[in-house]
């Protein structure tokens, strides 16, 4: 087999970094118009957003959108999910938000779950299954807690209330869908009352659906390779050889293109439609322009932002070692509970731990750290850009003020930031 490094088009490290920032709609951050339709534009580009319910600084998908859309409001995504229903929740890379139009291409997850629960969960708990479906059919959308607690049963990683578990099984199997959320609590309804009949009736062979799901990972990540941590590929193929076959099919169809990236062994892949973005990145670098040809901005990246999916890519391309420590025991954390990477232009320059504290009415910056060799006062554009990102986060959370860490090391920079925010 030819050496991919000598036969494939090569992106040097600077061009690869610039390409990722451009294709992820982060050049500049919050560059999309302040409108609900901008949510759909982000979805058109990256195709899938992971849904994580933790709300320390905002839900994961909200933080992804906040980094790209001016004046983003969480109600905009909720509108597309639960009112207009241009988006829906399903399992892709974990629980995810994807375009409703792609439902037929993701439904094999429903079909496999239905087969798994039939003959086990649905039979073992048949009276409750019938009770819940009858109640929803007759009375409409159901919030699990109104049913009242039942016995706990073994469910995935821990014992779970029987009602909650059975409703989850029915939703996993495509019998129920999420009508809306109350906070982060799911309200269930029959899928035929939520989604168009023609979409529910549309069927595609499972191999075609698997190929689409693998494409969704390359569409989301931007420059994924063939390996990396296992969660990158969850649900895309039963084995590595199966994924390789699907990937070769995507290449043959002209949907993805292999490139070499300086310093990396093996090919990386991007959407064929994004080759012009590579040329834009090359042109900007050659001309000495900032990303997008506009003054560099600052974004705080969500832990599960598609930009951050491939931790090895971040480490080797951006010299940035990012571990989301929310599930790391406190004593073993290096940084903090809910720490976000700080993007400046096309560099990852630090980490921030913002906390929306609603009772106190404040955005508290619990921690702030710079990467080795980065001085936030060296670049006169950084403090205003950082202040703009902080203020955008404050407005998103509906908080009245910002509280920063009181450490001597950060004082000169934060004094300047406070002055900018106070103007």
């Amino acid at each position: 087999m030819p050496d991919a490094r000598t036969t494939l088009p090569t992106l040097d490290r600077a061009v690869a970094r610039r390409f990722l920032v451009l294709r992820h709609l982060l050049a500049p951050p919050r560059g999309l118009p302040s409108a609900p339709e901008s949510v759909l534009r982000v979805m058109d580009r990256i195709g899938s957003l992971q849904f994580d319910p933790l709300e320390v600084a905002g839900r994961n998908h909200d933080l992804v959108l906040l980094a790209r859309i001016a004046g983003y409001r969480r109600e905009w995504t909720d509108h597309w999910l639960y009112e207009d229903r241009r988006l829906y929740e399903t399992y892709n890379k974990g629980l995810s938000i994807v375009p409703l139009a792609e439902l037929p291409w993701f439904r094999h997850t429903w079909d496999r779950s239905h087969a798994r629960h039939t003959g086990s969960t649905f039979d073992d708990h048949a009276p409750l299954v019938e009770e819940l479906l009858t109640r929803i059919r007759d009375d409409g959308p159901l919030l699990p807690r109104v049913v009242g607690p039942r016995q706990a049963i073994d469910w995935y990683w821990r014992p779970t209330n029987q009602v909650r578990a059975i409703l989850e099984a029915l939703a996993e199997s495509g019998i129920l869908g999420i009508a809306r959320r109350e906070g982060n609590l799911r309200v269930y309804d029959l899928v035929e009352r939520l989604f168009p009949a023609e979409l529910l009736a549309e069927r595609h062979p499972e191999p075609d659906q698997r190929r689409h799901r693998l494409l969704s990972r390359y569409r989301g990540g931007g420059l994924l390779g063939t390996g990396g941590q296992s969660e990158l590929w969850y649900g895309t193929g039963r084995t590595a050889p199966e994924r390789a076959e699907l990937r070769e099919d995507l290449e043959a169809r002209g949907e993805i293109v292999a490139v070499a990236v300086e310093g990396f062994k093996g090919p990386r892949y991007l959407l064929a439609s994004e080759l012009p973005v590579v040329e834009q990145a090359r042109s900007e670098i050659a001309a000495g322009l900032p990303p997008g040809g506009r003054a560099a901005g600052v974004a705080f990246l969500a832990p599960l932002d598609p930009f951050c999916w491939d931790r090895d890519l971040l480490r080797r391309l951006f010299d940035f070692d990012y571990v989301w420590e929310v599930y790391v025991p406190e004593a073993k954390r290096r940084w903090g509970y809910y720490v976000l990477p700080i993007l400046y232009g096309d560099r990852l320059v630090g980490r921030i731990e913002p906390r929306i504290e609603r009772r106190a009415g404040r955005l508290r910056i619990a921690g702030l750290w710079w990467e080795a060799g980065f001085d936030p006062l060296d670049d006169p554009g950084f403090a205003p850009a950082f202040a703009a990102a902080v203020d955008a986060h404050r407005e998103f959370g509906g908080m009245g003020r910002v509280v920063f860490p009181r450490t001597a090391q950060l004082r000169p920079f934060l004094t300047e930031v406070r002055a900018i925010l106070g103007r």
Side-chain angles (χ1 to χ4, degrees), residues 15-42:
V15 170
R17 288 191 293 265
R18 181 65 57 91
F19 165 77
L20 285 173
V21 170
L22 289 169
R23 67 88 54 192
H24 275 285
L25 301 173
L26 290 165
R30 299 174 300 284
L32 296 180
S34 180
E37 290 73 19
S38 290
V39 174
L40 300 180
R41 183 171 171 189
V42 174

Side-chain angles (χ1 to χ4, degrees), residues 17 296-301 307 314 318-321 335 340-352 368-377 379 382-383 385-386 410 413:
R17 288 191 293 265
V298 165
F300 307 143
L301 301 179
F307 190 95
L314 289 189
F318 290 87
D319 299 315
F320 189 84
D321 187 14
W335 306 107
L340 313 181
I342 301 174
L343 179 73
Y344 179 47
D346 55 11
R347 294 183 293 160
L348 291 169
V349 300
R351 303 155 204 263
I352 188 169
L368 183 60
W369 305 267
W370 308 121
E371 289 296 280
F374 179 76
D375 186 333
L377 293 174
D379 185 336
F382 181 73
F386 179 87
L410 294 170
F413 172 70

